[in-house]
Amino acid sequence: YMKKLNTYLYDHLKNLPHDLFNLILSYSKNNNIRTAFVGGFIRDLLIQKIHNMSNYKSIDLDILTEGSPILLAKFIKKSIRNVELCLIKEFDIYKTVEVNIDGIKIDIASAREEVYSAPGENPLVKDSTIEKDLKRRDFTINSIAFEPLGKQIIDLYEGITHINSKELHLLHSNSVIDDPSRILRCAKYASRLGFDISKTALYQ
C-alpha cells in the first residue's frame, strides 16, 4: 500500500511545472543536503488518491531543507528556463523564503525545532532535521513529507492512517497550549476537508 502511495506522489511531483522536482533533486544530490516536500500539497494529493477525489487544483508548494533556504531559492531561480518573472522574498526572522514563479508560490523553510518557554509565547527556534521539524507541526495529516532523494514518504505520526479514517489528530498533548490558534485551524480543516475532530483533539 505504501509503495503505491510513494509511486503516486513521485509521479505527481515529477510533473511539477518548470521541472521543479528535478531541480530540487539535483540540488540535494550535488550539495549533499536533504530536502522534502511537506504540508498541504502532500496532504491534499494523498486525500485525492485515498478518497478518489479529482478536484485538486492548488500547486502552491512547501519545501523543507536541512540547508539554507535562500541558497536553494537562488539555485531554482538561476536554473529555471523560459520564465518571465521569478521573485524571491526572504524572511530572516523565520528563516523562510518565498519564491514566486509566474504565479506559482513556493515557500522554502529551514528544518527547525521549536521550544515554547511559556504557553502562547513565540517559540525558541534552532536548526534541525526534517524528522524533528515534522514533530513541531499542528496535525498529523500536515506532518507528512516526501523526500526526493530517497523517493519516499516520511510519515512518523500516522498521518496517512488518519487521512484514511478522515480524522483530525493534533500532534501532541500540549499542541493547543503551545499555540491556541490551532483551535481555529482545527475548525478550518474539519470544515474544508470534511474530517471529524478526534476525541483527544476535542479534549485539548
Side-chain angles (χ1 to χ4, degrees):
Y1 179 68
M2 285 298 293
K3 187 176 180 180
K4 286 184 178 179
L5 292 181
N6 260 317
T7 301
Y8 168 78
L9 287 181
Y10 176 75
D11 289 344
H12 273 265
L13 292 167
K14 281 279 289 181
N15 289 319
L16 285 172
H18 311 299
D19 203 27
L20 282 169
F21 181 87
N22 283 324
L23 287 181
I24 292 162
L25 179 60
S26 172
Y27 180 85
S28 293
K29 282 182 177 178
N30 293 339
N31 296 283
N32 196 28
I33 293 173
R34 294 178 70 207
T35 58
F37 294 90
V38 295
F41 183 80
I42 296 298
R43 177 199 68 225
D44 289 350
L45 277 177
L46 288 169
I47 289 172
Q48 174 183 284
K49 172 66 173 175
I50 291 167
H51 296 293
N52 296 313
M53 296 168 62
S54 58
N55 58 349
Y56 182 81
K57 292 179 181 177
S58 173
I59 53 171
D60 286 355
L61 295 172
D62 290 296
I63 296 171
L64 265 182
T65 177
E66 292 182 358
S68 163
I70 190 64
L71 290 180
L72 175 53
K74 287 178 177 178
F75 173 81
I76 291 170
K77 183 173 183 177
K78 180 183 74 173
S79 303
I80 56 174
R81 300 176 183 176
N82 304 317
V83 170
E84 291 184 10
L85 188 65
C86 180
L87 300 174
I88 295 176
K89 294 180 186 176
E90 188 173 2
F91 303 95
D92 282 337
I93 190 168
Y94 298 113
K95 295 187 176 180
T96 61
V97 176
E98 180 185 299
V99 183
N100 196 297
I101 307 172
D102 282 349
I104 299 170
K105 187 163 76 75
I106 307 168
D107 287 316
I108 305 173
S110 59
R112 64 188 190 269
E113 291 180 70
E114 294 179 348
V115 178
Y116 289 84
S117 57
E121 290 287 331
N122 288 330
L124 302 172
V125 175
K126 66 177 183 178
D127 292 339
S128 191
T129 64
I130 289 168
E131 286 78 9
K132 288 183 178 177
D133 187 282
L134 296 177
K135 186 179 180 179
R136 71 176 179 82
R137 292 171 182 263
D138 49 9
F139 300 98
T140 59
I141 63 171
N142 291 335
S143 66
I144 305 167
F146 186 90
E147 187 179 3
L149 206 54
K151 297 183 176 65
Q152 65 179 356
I153 295 170
I154 304 172
D155 178 21
L156 306 177
Y157 304 102
E158 299 185 277
I160 291 173
T161 297
H162 298 149
I163 287 175
N164 270 289
S165 60
K166 290 191 171 184
E167 289 182 328
L168 283 174
H169 289 258
L170 290 160
L171 215 57
H172 57 83
S173 59
N174 288 327
S175 187
V176 169
I177 291 174
D178 286 345
D179 184 355
S181 72
R182 285 171 177 160
I183 295 171
L184 299 177
R185 292 207 291 277
C186 193
K188 180 184 80 171
Y189 288 127
S191 174
R192 180 188 156 217
L193 302 174
F195 279 29
D196 293 324
I197 301 169
S198 70
K199 288 181 180 179
T200 54
L202 283 171
Y203 180 77
Q204 285 199 50

